[in-house]
Amino acid sequence: MSKIKKEKHQCSIINCQLSIINVMKMNPKILVLLAACMVAVNMPARQKPRRVAVSSDTVYVKPYEMPNAGFYLPAPPDTASMDFVDDMIQWQWGKTQRNTPRGRQANMESPWLPSIMESVMSQCLGLDTICAEKTPALARLLLRAYNTGNKSTAAAKALYMRTRPFVQMGEDTWAEYDTDYLRTNGSYPSGHTSLGWGTALAFAEMWPELQDTIMRRGFQFGENRIITGAHYQSDVTAGYLCASAAFARAHLHPEYQQDIEAARAEYKRLKGLPDDYDPVAHAGLPQGCKILNAPVDTASYRYMGDLFRYWKAKQQRFGYRGKLAVLNDDLTIDYLMKIYGTAMGVKLNRSTTPAIVALMELVDKQSNVSAKDLKRVYFRKRPYVQLHEATAVPAWETSARGSSSYASHHSNLGWALSMALVEVAPECQDELLRIGYDYGYDRQIVGYHWASDIDAGRLLAAALLARMHADADYRQLVKQAREEYLKALH
């Protein structure tokens, strides 16, 4: 088959697949059949260059300290699961991007090399280059952040060994620098995503004035892997969370803060700024509308993914999980002190643990501002409003009707608190992260949020914590909370 005929053949199949998705709005059951019998589009074979291995370097979090994503995250969607529908739809979306500038970007950023991230971050910072020879402090921060993010997925990858999309669909690797090594490396969570998002978190904290630009590129670095067919959407989403958890733990190590400060001082010199210039004082909270994609519209190809995930979560309303989700509707600090205190093994209250409570209240305050700022930009109807259904928490149905579904404030606060408290009580980090994850998912069960609202809330929380940690007063409060926790244990 000639190249032109093959391209036409591929386009016709993709158009046919997208047409089927439009028909699904009339009969969603068709998607179940689609997920079971989707015919893969074969990409032309190519000679691929040898994959260059990343040299081993020290990381901020040692393997035995790393949060275990196999515990705090759920298992990846099975191909027979309703959650897998979103993965299938996003897989198709990624294929439509390949012959666009966005696809070319994804291809060029696919090599598993720190030099790729050096190029990305130098663009964000307005520098000609980041390298050990010319910018040693920035290069050191980048390499250690890169490796820390990369290692954060190891436990879950080994546990699940999920088959990658291009293997599942009987395809070849698409990105020019991806190799067959990926066939034997687990798809869930995405390592590229975690190293990209983790590096972005470190650099956003280093120079908060550019946090939105930096975090947007970190977000796109994960999205690249959907376009290349190396990962499903759920792999990428999990990769963001793995990096977020790892960097919560990284803050416990003094060398991380030392590298942040050294890189900041070096960047000031490179940009000709005075030594007393404070990039933290000039930066507000991260703006979710500049970091994340716009919410899913009902006319979007991805709406069916949200819809199927909503139906899946709705099934859990009538068991123990549903009862817990109703209880977790409570957004007050007093309630959150109970559930997080239980995981930490201490009773949290304002009299005996004032520093920990003060930390939680500060995170709550900033989370509220951050999430509401994004809600003001996008007004999305909540699931129960869109579908004209009842929720599991009827008391709030009338008042919440006029509030945007995107992004989930509950999800944002739960994940932000978990990240903050990992620094306070790393001994129980996995339990804390699981609570934060479930607290967001509960909003899907009770019918107040779509799954993509919840995902967005967690990512915004990670960006928020990077910004908060740039403040010396916040770091001092965390230190006090940690000391207070250790005393409470004894």
Side-chain angles (χ1 to χ4, degrees):
M1 186 183 293
S2 69
K3 181 178 180 181
I4 294 177
K5 288 183 178 180
K6 183 169 288 188
E7 289 178 348
K8 288 182 177 180
H9 175 66
Q10 293 167 355
C11 290
S12 65
I13 293 178
I14 291 173
N15 289 334
C16 176
Q17 293 169 347
L18 295 177
S19 297
I20 292 173
I21 291 176
N22 289 330
V23 173
M24 291 185 305
K25 294 180 180 179
M26 298 167 51
N27 186 0
K29 292 182 179 179
I30 292 178
L31 190 51
V32 177
L33 297 176
L34 175 66
C37 61
M38 181 68 67
V39 178
V41 180
N42 291 322
M43 298 300 294
R46 63 165 66 87
Q47 187 70 30
K48 296 182 177 63
R50 180 176 60 87
R51 180 175 179 268
V52 181
V54 176
S55 60
S56 177
D57 192 81
T58 50
V59 294
Y60 291 119
V61 184
K62 302 296 189 294
Y64 62 87
E65 299 173 327
M66 191 70 73
N68 181 3
F71 181 86
Y72 66 81
L73 293 180
D78 184 81
T79 54
S81 166
M82 295 174 79
D83 287 336
F84 186 65
V85 170
D86 187 61
D87 277 347
M88 282 294 297
I89 291 174
Q90 283 295 87
W91 170 71
Q92 289 195 84
W93 166 81
K95 292 170 77 71
T96 67
Q97 301 298 303
R98 292 180 181 178
N99 292 324
T100 69
R102 185 68 185 85
R104 289 189 284 276
Q105 174 188 330
N107 178 48
M108 292 304 297
E109 294 176 358
S110 64
W112 209 320
L113 297 169
S115 59
I116 299 298
M117 188 54 64
E118 288 174 348
S119 176
V120 171
M121 287 298 115
S122 64
Q123 292 171 18
C124 292
L125 296 177
L127 298 175
D128 293 334
T129 186
I130 293 177
C131 62
E133 295 75 20
K134 296 182 178 181
T135 60
L138 286 165
R140 178 173 175 78
L141 174 65
L142 186 145
L143 185 60
R144 299 184 80 182
Y146 181 101
N147 286 343
T148 299
N150 183 30
K151 296 299 182 182
S152 68
T153 64
K157 275 183 177 287
L159 177 63
Y160 297 115
M161 279 302 298
R162 188 187 194 188
T163 303
R164 291 176 181 264
F166 75 90
V167 179
Q168 189 79 47
M169 307 304 170
E171 297 183 344
D172 190 10
T173 54
W174 176 79
E176 186 176 357
Y177 301 106
D178 282 347
T179 70
D180 282 343
Y181 159 79
L182 297 178
R183 293 181 180 274
T184 57
N185 179 265
S187 188
Y188 180 91
S190 165
H192 272 74
T193 299
S194 60
L195 64 86
W197 186 251
T199 305
L201 288 171
F203 273 69
E205 182 176 339
M206 186 277 296
W207 204 261
E209 285 186 335
L210 295 174
Q211 61 188 344
D212 295 337
T213 299
I214 293 169
M215 294 309 303
R216 176 63 183 172
R217 289 298 279 115
F219 177 83
Q220 290 179 332
F221 205 82
E223 202 174 48
N224 288 348
R225 305 307 285 166
I226 302 170
I227 295 172
T228 65
H231 285 287
Y232 290 113
Q233 175 67 61
S234 56
D235 304 333
V236 169
T237 301
Y240 293 130
L241 300 184
C242 286
S244 303
F247 278 82
R249 181 61 193 255
H251 284 115
L252 284 160
H253 293 279
E255 59 266 29
Y256 179 58
Q257 185 59 38
Q258 292 165 6
D259 284 355
I260 289 279
E261 292 173 359
R264 187 178 292 157
E266 182 176 80
Y267 185 62
K268 288 180 187 179
R269 293 194 297 271
L270 291 169
K271 302 302 285 187
L273 297 170
D275 291 342
D276 61 353
Y277 184 82
D278 185 4
V280 180
H282 295 81
L285 296 181
Q287 299 182 57
C289 61
K290 295 182 179 181
I291 298 171
L292 308 173
N293 294 334
V296 176
D297 184 80
T298 53
S300 165
Y301 55 86
R302 200 179 175 190
Y303 174 63
M304 293 304 295
D306 260 352
L307 194 58
F308 269 70
R309 289 196 285 174
Y310 166 79
W311 287 334
K312 167 78 178 301
K314 184 180 176 182
Q315 295 173 358
Q316 300 181 60
R317 288 186 190 177
F318 309 104
Y320 171 79
R321 192 70 183 78
K323 293 178 181 178
L324 182 61
V326 172
L327 291 175
N328 283 345
D329 177 69
D330 195 332
L331 199 61
T332 65
I333 285 296
D334 286 340
Y335 176 74
L336 292 167
M337 283 192 293
K338 292 179 182 178
I339 62 173
Y340 281 105
T342 300
M344 295 166 70
V346 298
K347 185 176 182 180
L348 301 179
N349 58 64
R350 290 173 177 82
S351 59
T352 60
T353 56
I356 297 175
V357 175
L359 176 65
M360 295 179 68
E361 289 177 333
L362 179 58
V363 172
D364 177 37
K365 178 182 176 181
Q366 299 293 59
S367 168
N368 187 40
V369 173
S370 178
K372 286 187 176 179
D373 281 348
L374 185 53
K375 286 176 180 285
R376 291 189 188 97
V377 176
Y378 301 114
F379 182 83
R380 186 187 193 189
K381 289 183 178 179
R382 295 177 181 271
Y384 74 93
V385 178
Q386 186 72 50
L387 302 175
H388 304 285
E389 294 186 345
T391 71
V393 188
W396 298 105
E397 288 179 10
T398 301
S399 59
R401 185 176 291 269
S403 173
S404 177
S405 189
Y406 186 88
S408 166
H409 179 202
H410 277 74
S411 175
N412 180 272
L413 177 59
W415 193 247
L417 284 173
S418 292
M419 289 183 65
L421 292 173
V422 162
E423 293 186 63
V424 177
E427 297 84 356
C428 43
Q429 59 188 6
D430 294 337
E431 292 79 4
L432 292 170
L433 291 165
R434 182 60 180 265
I435 288 173
Y437 185 91
D438 287 347
Y439 193 70
Y441 183 69
D442 288 341
R443 304 305 287 166
Q444 199 175 333
I445 294 176
V446 298
Y448 276 81
H449 284 286
W450 304 101
S452 57
D453 304 333
I454 294 164
D455 294 338
R458 296 191 188 109
L459 298 194
L460 185 57
L464 173 65
L465 263 292
R467 170 61 187 88
M468 293 180 69
H469 220 281
D471 286 310
D473 290 344
Y474 176 79
R475 295 195 301 272
Q476 182 60 30
L477 180 57
V478 171
K479 181 180 179 181
Q480 292 172 359
R482 172 63 176 161
E483 293 171 352
E484 185 176 82
Y485 175 67
L486 292 175
K487 290 180 181 178
L489 287 179
H490 298 91

